Each structure stands twice: as C-alpha cells, then as structure tokens.
Amino acid sequence: AEIEILKVLWEQGPATVRDIHDALLARGHRTGYTTSLKLLQLMHGKGLVLRDESQRAHRFAAAVSREATERAFVGDLIHKLFDGSAARLVLQALGGERPASTGELAEIRRLLATIE
C-alpha cells in the first residue's frame, strides 16, 4: 500500500489526502479515506513522505526518489531470493513469461556497454 501511495506522489507530485485517495480509487484500490490518511501518517513517521502543514488541507510529497526506492527493493530481492546473485535475477527477468521488448533490450545493451 505504501508503494502505491509513493507511485501516486512520484507521478503527480505533492497532493492532499483526498487527491491521493482518489488516485488510488481510480487505480482500483478499494481503501477508505481514513485508511489512506492513516497510511500517510505512518509513512510520514517513517520518513517516506513529507507533510506541508501550511494550509488547511495538508499536502504530502514523496521524501524518497523512485530510483532510490527501486534500488533498495531490488537489492533486497537479490540478497533474499537470489542469494546475492544479480545475474540470476537478470536471467529470471529476461527469461520470464513476458520477454523483454526490443526497446528494453537496446537499453540493456547500452547499460552493459557502459558497465564494461
């Protein structure tokens, strides 16, 4: 649920609880307004979101970037599931149910060339 809220904030920028809640509903998440508010309060306590209290309707913004969050999650996934092997993760990702698109493969080739 926290990731879904962060996705809304990354895409829309700072938003009120109502804005975030409405965006979650539009994405098919059936949570109550008070649940969204409580999650945002917990996320604020964890340092995941910033809260602007200067107006009546508080505005929340992501305190962490999408890239940093993705890096942290992937690093944790590699460590926990793939025993620290990034190669095994990549092999699973590329050989999975949905093959990489031509554009994705070109981007991977560019990244590999940069790393080499």
Side-chain angles (χ1 to χ4, degrees):
E2 291 177 350
I3 294 297
E4 291 303 317
I5 289 173
L6 285 171
K7 285 180 182 178
V8 169
L9 293 172
W10 289 327
E11 292 166 12
Q12 295 183 4
T16 64
V17 177
R18 172 61 56 202
D19 295 336
I20 295 164
H21 177 69
D22 290 347
L24 292 172
L25 287 176
R27 294 170 183 225
H29 300 282
R30 300 289 170 227
T31 58
Y33 175 87
T34 55
T35 301
S36 297
L37 173 60
K38 185 64 177 174
L39 280 169
L40 283 159
Q41 290 169 337
L42 291 170
M43 291 172 71
H44 180 259
K46 293 178 183 180
L48 297 173
V49 296
L50 304 171
R51 180 173 55 203
D52 177 1
E53 301 174 16
S54 64
Q55 298 177 19
R56 178 166 156 65
H58 296 182
R59 296 183 68 79
F60 291 85
V64 293
S65 72
R66 183 176 209 132
E67 295 76 18
T69 303
E70 289 172 347
R71 254 190 317 278
F73 269 82
V74 169
D76 195 41
L77 180 66
I78 290 169
H79 175 72
K80 289 181 178 177
L81 187 61
F82 295 98
D83 298 321
S85 173
R88 286 180 43 208
L89 169 71
V90 171
L91 291 171
Q92 283 298 321
L94 294 178
E97 294 177 14
R98 186 188 72 81
S101 70
T102 304
E104 290 170 327
L105 289 173
E107 189 174 343
I108 292 166
R109 285 186 188 96
R110 279 192 298 278
L111 177 61
L112 289 172
T114 302
I115 293 171
E116 291 174 342

